[in-house]
Amino acid sequence: MNRFAELLDRLAYEPGRNNKLRLLTAYFRETDDPDRGYALAALTGALSFKHAKPGLIRDLITDRADPVLFGLSYDYVGDLSETVALMWPKVSASHDRSSPLPPRSGGEGSGVGGVSARTAASAIAAPPPTPDPSPPRALRVEGGEKTIGHNNPPPPTLSEVVTTLRTLGKTELPRQLARWLDELDETGRWALLKLVTGAMRIGISARLAKTAAANLGDKDAHDVELMWPGLSPPYLDLFAWLEGRSEKPVNRDPTPFRPVMLAHAIEDADFANLDPADFIAEWKWDGIRVQAVSGRDERGHIQARLYSRTGEDITGSFPDLVPSLHLQGSSSFAIDGELLVLREGRVQTFNVLQQRLNRKVVSPKLIKEYPIHLRAYDLLGDDENDLRELPFIERRARLEAFIKKLDDARIDLSPTVAFDSWDQLTAARADPAQAGAGEDADAVEGVMLKRRDAAYLPGRPKGQWWKWKRDPHLIDAVLMYAQRGHGKRSSYYSDYTFGVWTSGEDGEQLVPVGKAYFGFTDEELLQIDRFVRRNTTEKFGPVRHVVHEPDQGLVLEVAFEGLARSPRHKSGVAMRFPRISRLRWDKPPREADRLETLERMLKSETGITAP
Amino acid sequence: MITHGHSDHARPGHGAVLATQETLDMMRLRYGDNFAGSTQAIAYGEELRLGDVKIKFHPAGHVLGSAQIAVTCKDTCIVASGDYKDASDPTCTPFEVVPCDVFITEATFGLPVFRHGNAADEVKKLLASVTLFPERAHLVGAYSLGKAQRVIALLREAGYDAPIYLHGAMEAITHYYQSRGVALGELRPAKGVKKADLAGTITLAPPSATSDIWTRRFPDPVTAFASGWMRVRARARQRGIELPLVISDHADWDGLTATIEATGAGEIWVTHGQEDALVHWCKTKGLAARPLDLVGYGDEDEHEPPPANEAEA
Ligand SMILES: [Zn+2]
Ligand SMILES: [Zn+2]
């Protein structure tokens, strides 16, 4: 645990991506199984256990420290976990340390003006004229902490912490935590408290951690990414392969999630370099991106799963779709598509679909009123075959055949949009109803362009897929700060500052680009307000800092009328009439838009600038 | 009477100064020959009498020549600690507990969150980083008087025998340490060395220099800072430090409290830092205690003058 803590500590201070990689890879090289595997799990967010509440940590310290001293310390340090980690009393150390000191000779004397019980002159009489430097006279010998600890149990390993936390009952947690805190050093205690409170933010992405692991064996991070869904902590098979001790791990999960391929937002200037003949266009549906996977377990039983774009298992929220994924006669398949609500064959708007999202309980009434549907646009696997390396045009042909064979009303094919020139596609995008979308046009938010020869690659590879939204004045931004509203909204956090990504000195960071305080429904206001209260990281007067990390935070789709250059704003741009057009609970903050997108909008579309 | 050579304790312009030889030398180095009307050197353990009053200097373990000053009149002994630390330091005489009635203690790190571990472990951290990043230079910010020499000595104790580079502002004081018999190995000025040749090396510099354009002469530098303040993350982050090294020349919380108890003093005057917490602690132990609100004493790590000023010394 101490070594892992040291790694986290160093990563937190290191700004450079390559240097972070080096630190991580060095850690994986020097650390044994299974500790390094659990570390990889912690860094990729693959660990799951119930988090301890800050109140518990506070109780632990108030049982052991003077409340005044704790208060002064907390004020100074500003972070609960860190304060507790630093001031956690060292039971054995303080006992040992006081022993070499001369015993207190007084205390009853009141010093100046008072009568001391002893004469000071005799107490300090006749020390040697020059102090003897060889036997350390210091109260403490360097390295003392180490030797003092020899009677104590060794500090817990990361594996011990992780495996214990998984099974530990709530009532046993405080005592177990206290025991570990006694055994760990300052940095170890800090990392432990961050880990158990679920507040371990160290500024590295899961992708970076996987890349560092791949570097251990000079392997491609892409390979690790592909096999990742089938792996589980502590990743013994992965490390064995990386170190050349065994074959590449095979994915035994019958229904693995495949990392999704994402599109770049296209800009006007991009079209000049693109040939329409290289691309296939589809409607961009205003739904939820999902991956529907079906497979057979070891006993031959069909299993089906529905994943969100981030790989979260959302099968439980859509039981009505599951039977459609049980295709007899097929051993397995994986469809990439859009989750929509269809009523009488017509695609409903996102607002309607939203009634089905984030539901813990799915009632029969809900299922009946909001019938769920899958619109397929890609086939990633079919009967044991991994199709991802095939060109899109071939995958599309297989998808068409597959959907036909499936013959299920709940799953259909996302149609292509015919076009020969960019002008033709521009017209289709402007009026989807006339260009084939018909009555579903309201649920079309633009067009997707996919290269005919594009393999299915995880992440956002350059030049392969493009999204061309219908409304050019929409961006996905991340909620950064919230402030209470006025009047009847004064009890709600209803004024939001949002930001987009940019590369700064400390790597990727969010820069605020605007504020919005309307556009949301009352129900959405309640949801955001709840989110703000539960995810506040700091308070400054009426303003709350809301968590905004690559993997944690709330993405807001912001609509606006125009952009103008503004030297007054840190971002350099100002929005006209910004409002929240929808909440993207489905989108991780790292996928929000970038400042460059706004800057390009500003440059290329002077027409959208406010007069 | 001056406890030690740091600028918040040793100022020029006094009529007569009593201090250890090292402290007088350092004042001369920093302020020039006429830094005081007259000077008198006193050794550790040597006793002077002024009428009814006896004066004695004891090692404080803070920097070379640092002293606690015991003043005794009739039955009462007051000890002014100056700055002190109870942790071992290869560059100065170890701290000595002086029993007394009134103890005037510093409180730079007077909060229980400040517990400085083993300085040798911090130096190991630095050396591990040098091994991991051999193509980068390592810049260690350290106060020029005391901390820099201690870090160098600790590096030598850890077996690091390559030349260590120095910022110009610390050359004079470091050479003074060497002249007093403190072994520091081979030292070179960083000035004039080719950028590429600084890869894989360690350079000591005043803290303020590690964030200025002076660092551009180093290849992709790793910025370290050796200070007790590095215990608190926000402090390290504020300064843009990549490698915080918790090495302090002041006593930590445990050191302060253990020392206070060991002196046997019934009355404690607290100054120079975080007085409140330490005064509170003393009271919970039944000791009379009060803060001495003295102006002008601060932490040298935080308020170091820019290197240009120091270069005059
Ligand atoms: Zn000092
Ligand atoms: Zn001082």
Side-chain angles (χ1 to χ4, degrees):
Chain A
M1 185 74 203
N2 279 336
R3 174 68 179 94
F4 177 61
E6 202 182 292
L7 170 74
L8 290 186
D9 191 40
R10 185 75 201 268
L11 284 173
Y13 291 114
E14 174 56 62
R17 182 181 180 276
N18 281 334
N19 294 329
K20 285 181 184 179
L21 271 178
R22 295 258 292 275
L23 290 165
L24 284 161
T25 306
Y27 171 83
F28 291 135
R29 187 172 298 120
E30 292 159 14
T31 310
D32 292 330
D33 291 324
D35 256 36
R36 58 179 172 180
Y38 287 116
L40 181 58
L43 295 166
T44 52
L47 288 180
S48 63
F49 45 79
K50 269 221 158 54
H51 292 142
K53 297 244 164 13
L56 187 151
I57 313 293
R58 204 186 272 267
D59 290 348
L60 283 176
I61 196 69
T62 42
D63 281 353
R64 285 164 179 79
D66 179 307
V68 174
L69 294 180
F70 168 68
L72 288 167
S73 297
Y74 189 19
D75 281 352
Y76 184 87
V77 176
D79 178 285
L80 180 66
S81 294
E82 191 179 342
T83 309
V84 173
L86 291 178
M87 70 182 292
W88 189 261
K90 249 178 265 159
V91 187
S92 53
S94 61
H95 169 77
D96 273 36
R97 193 200 268 192
S98 55
S99 54
L101 288 171
R104 272 192 65 193
S105 52
E108 67 271 46
S110 72
V112 171
V115 180
S116 181
R118 62 189 162 77
T119 64
S122 68
I124 58 169
T130 45
D132 177 5
S134 49
R137 206 176 272 253
L139 311 182
R140 175 176 33 160
V141 181
E142 302 237 6
E145 199 173 304
K146 284 268 158 63
T147 53
I148 283 160
H150 72 87
N151 283 332
N152 297 341
T157 61
L158 177 61
S159 313
E160 191 183 329
V161 169
V162 170
T163 50
T164 307
L165 282 175
R166 269 187 194 156
T167 53
L168 201 64
K170 210 176 157 189
T171 49
E172 300 157 77
L173 184 59
R175 214 152 20 115
Q176 179 61 69
L177 269 184
R179 206 150 42 224
W180 283 334
L181 290 169
D182 283 341
E183 293 162 11
L184 290 162
D185 66 14
E186 272 87 354
T187 310
R189 291 192 291 264
W190 166 76
L192 175 71
L193 292 174
K194 289 289 175 187
L195 188 73
V196 299
T197 53
M200 209 181 72
R201 297 193 195 97
I202 28 129
I204 77 148
S205 64
R207 173 76 182 182
L208 195 75
K210 291 174 203 166
T211 307
N215 288 353
L216 186 63
D218 282 328
K219 299 284 196 264
D220 194 335
H222 181 60
D223 284 343
V224 175
E225 199 73 78
L226 286 181
M227 69 178 67
W228 188 257
L231 305 175
S232 56
Y235 310 111
L236 301 180
D237 46 352
L238 172 70
F239 283 107
W241 170 64
L242 289 170
E243 290 178 337
R245 289 183 282 112
S246 75
E247 292 298 301
K248 198 166 170 174
V250 283
N251 199 336
R252 267 179 249 287
D253 181 352
T255 53
F257 169 70
R258 282 109 170 140
V260 298
M261 179 162 175
L262 301 166
H264 283 273
I266 202 163
E267 314 286 340
D268 284 357
D270 292 322
F271 288 102
N273 305 315
L274 302 177
D275 182 351
D278 289 340
F279 288 89
I280 290 173
E282 295 166 25
W283 299 121
K284 181 167 175 15
W285 297 102
D286 197 4
I288 294 287
R289 176 94 179 261
V290 290
Q291 196 175 103
V293 186
S294 174
R296 284 175 193 275
D297 64 19
E298 281 154 9
R299 290 173 300 165
H301 296 156
I302 295 181
Q303 285 194 2
R305 265 188 186 161
L306 209 55
Y307 292 105
S308 75
R309 60 195 288 156
T310 53
E312 198 187 332
D313 188 343
I314 52 170
T315 320
S317 299
F318 305 98
D320 39 338
L321 190 62
V322 173
S324 305
L325 303 174
H326 284 223
L327 174 60
Q328 301 301 326
S330 162
S331 64
S332 70
F333 64 84
I335 294 173
D336 188 5
E338 200 83 1
L339 209 59
L340 302 166
V341 165
L342 252 68
R343 284 177 183 154
E344 284 146 21
R346 278 187 56 187
V347 181
Q348 304 298 301
T349 62
F350 188 82
N351 282 338
V352 177
L353 171 64
Q354 214 161 17
Q355 303 304 315
R356 290 286 315 250
L357 306 181
N358 298 320
R359 294 278 181 173
K360 285 233 170 63
V361 183
V362 188
S363 67
K365 183 165 172 266
L366 195 72
I367 288 177
K368 193 159 164 261
E369 284 178 16
Y370 301 93
I372 211 71
H373 185 89
L374 177 64
R375 188 148 284 182
Y377 37 66
D378 215 325
L379 191 64
L380 313 182
D382 182 10
D383 279 345
E384 311 294 331
N385 302 314
D386 189 341
L387 306 181
R388 287 175 288 180
E389 302 286 327
L390 296 179
F392 177 59
I393 188 83
E394 278 183 45
R395 294 202 307 277
R396 174 85 197 179
R398 289 186 186 229
L399 176 70
E400 285 172 10
F402 182 84
I403 298 296
K404 203 177 218 170
K405 187 174 79 180
L406 193 63
D407 191 25
D408 189 303
R410 281 194 186 271
I411 302 179
D412 69 358
L413 193 66
S414 183
T416 56
V417 183
F419 72 103
D420 293 321
S421 68
W422 296 130
D423 282 349
Q424 238 178 335
L425 189 64
T426 308
R429 170 173 157 272
D431 190 358
Q434 291 302 309
E439 297 198 305
D440 291 343
D442 279 352
V444 167
E445 57 164 4
V447 292
M448 293 293 300
L449 282 168
K450 297 178 179 176
R451 273 194 77 95
R452 289 170 184 271
D453 58 3
Y456 193 93
L457 302 165
R460 210 186 292 272
K462 269 220 138 58
Q464 306 297 302
W465 285 12
W466 300 95
K467 57 182 175 191
W468 193 14
K469 285 195 180 178
R470 222 175 146 187
D471 184 343
H473 313 326
L474 273 184
I475 57 151
D476 288 329
V478 183
L479 175 61
M480 297 176 73
Y481 315 109
Q483 200 170 343
R484 281 175 193 272
H486 298 284
K488 74 178 167 56
R489 276 210 193 143
S490 57
S491 69
Y492 293 102
Y493 286 92
S494 63
D495 293 13
Y496 311 116
T497 302
F498 48 84
V500 293
W501 294 102
T502 186
S503 306
E505 273 172 32
D506 303 332
E508 290 293 284
Q509 59 186 64
L510 286 165
V511 55
V513 289
K515 283 185 179 195
Y517 43 90
F518 63 98
F520 36 81
T521 64
D522 288 350
E523 170 61 25
E524 283 171 332
L525 173 61
L526 278 174
Q527 290 173 5
I528 309 176
D529 184 68
R530 205 176 309 137
F531 180 84
V532 168
R533 288 170 196 277
R534 287 186 188 163
N535 293 279
T536 299
T537 52
E538 271 174 285
K539 294 178 200 172
F540 285 104
V543 179
R544 286 193 178 213
H545 276 218
V546 185
V547 62
H548 46 271
E549 303 279 327
D551 297 309
Q552 289 184 73
L554 174 57
V555 177
L556 305 169
E557 186 181 86
V558 177
F560 55 97
E561 295 305 306
L563 273 181
R565 245 178 233 299
S566 165
R568 282 186 303 117
H569 292 78
K570 193 179 164 202
S571 62
V573 296
M575 284 178 181
R576 190 173 151 249
F577 208 52
R579 68 260 184 204
I580 309 296
S581 72
R582 83 160 116 134
L583 311 183
R584 298 298 309 259
W585 297 107
D586 58 311
K587 209 169 202 189
R590 70 169 72 257
E591 289 180 18
D593 278 302
R594 303 186 54 83
L595 186 59
E596 293 88 275
T597 308
L598 287 177
E599 279 161 357
R600 273 196 300 270
M601 277 184 185
L602 198 60
K603 228 179 280 170
S604 63
E605 302 197 34
T606 41
I608 76 166
T609 313
Chain B
M1 294 185 285
I2 305 260
T3 57
H4 67 285
H6 279 146
S7 58
D8 54 336
H9 299 259
R11 305 248 163 91
H14 294 293
V17 172
L18 176 67
T20 63
Q21 187 59 53
E22 289 87 351
T23 300
L24 293 174
D25 290 344
M26 288 173 192
M27 290 177 79
R28 191 167 293 116
L29 214 54
R30 189 184 288 250
Y31 303 122
D33 283 339
N34 301 316
F35 70 92
S38 68
T39 63
Q40 183 179 344
I42 182 168
Y44 293 137
E46 187 183 330
E47 190 172 279
L48 281 184
R49 276 176 185 275
L50 278 169
D52 287 347
V53 177
K54 284 178 286 188
I55 296 159
K56 215 171 199 180
F57 277 46
H58 301 267
H62 175 55
V63 296
L64 183 63
S66 65
Q68 311 172 72
I69 302 171
V71 178
T72 310
C73 182
K74 295 194 183 119
D75 282 348
T76 301
C77 173
I78 303 178
V79 169
S81 73
D83 293 340
Y84 66 96
K85 71 169 176 290
D86 55 335
S88 86
D89 180 341
T91 67
C92 64
T93 310
F95 175 81
E96 192 182 291
V97 174
V98 186
C100 56
D101 301 291
V102 179
F103 185 52
I104 307 176
T105 182
E106 65 137 318
T108 306
F109 293 112
L111 276 174
V113 290
F114 289 110
R115 281 194 309 207
H116 312 132
N118 189 347
D121 285 343
E122 299 297 292
V123 164
K124 253 187 247 159
K125 225 163 80 177
L126 171 62
L127 290 174
S129 182
V130 173
T131 310
L132 185 61
F133 297 111
E135 78 290 4
R136 305 175 73 185
H138 280 68
L139 287 184
V140 184
Y143 188 56
S144 310
L145 197 179
K147 187 68 64 62
Q149 297 76 28
R150 182 171 173 218
V151 170
I152 296 170
L154 286 166
L155 280 164
R156 297 311 185 199
E157 278 186 355
Y160 184 78
D161 53 11
I164 292 173
Y165 293 82
L166 295 181
H167 183 279
M170 22 183 74
E171 283 174 23
I173 184 68
T174 306
H175 293 147
Y176 174 72
Y177 263 69
Q178 288 178 304
S179 76
R180 300 296 294 189
V182 179
L184 299 176
E186 187 187 348
L187 305 175
R188 292 181 186 170
K191 200 176 173 179
V193 181
K194 269 193 256 142
K195 189 171 185 170
D197 294 342
L198 289 165
T201 63
I202 298 174
T203 300
L204 274 289
S208 52
T210 61
S211 55
D212 86 19
I213 51 171
W214 174 79
T215 62
R216 291 189 196 154
R217 70 181 70 195
F218 295 91
D220 190 16
V222 177
T223 313
F225 185 22
S227 163
W229 296 115
M230 294 297 100
R231 204 21 128 196
V232 174
R233 271 152 230 282
R235 297 293 286 258
R237 234 174 274 128
Q238 221 171 40
R239 285 175 160 269
I241 301 301
E242 289 155 69
L243 187 61
L245 303 172
V246 186
I247 302 178
S248 171
D249 281 341
H250 295 270
D252 64 2
W253 174 261
D254 293 341
L256 293 169
T257 54
T259 301
I260 288 171
E261 288 195 317
T263 60
E267 182 157 345
I268 310 298
W269 299 347
V270 184
T271 183
H272 199 291
Q274 318 268 350
E275 291 93 355
D276 296 354
L278 203 55
V279 167
H280 171 82
W281 179 88
C282 288
K283 288 181 176 164
T284 63
K285 298 288 167 189
L287 302 172
R290 60 185 176 98
L292 274 192
D293 294 314
L294 298 179
V295 181
Y297 288 93
D299 173 55
E300 40 276 355
D301 287 344
E302 295 291 292
H303 304 293
E304 181 157 34
N309 292 1
E310 240 182 299
E312 295 163 16

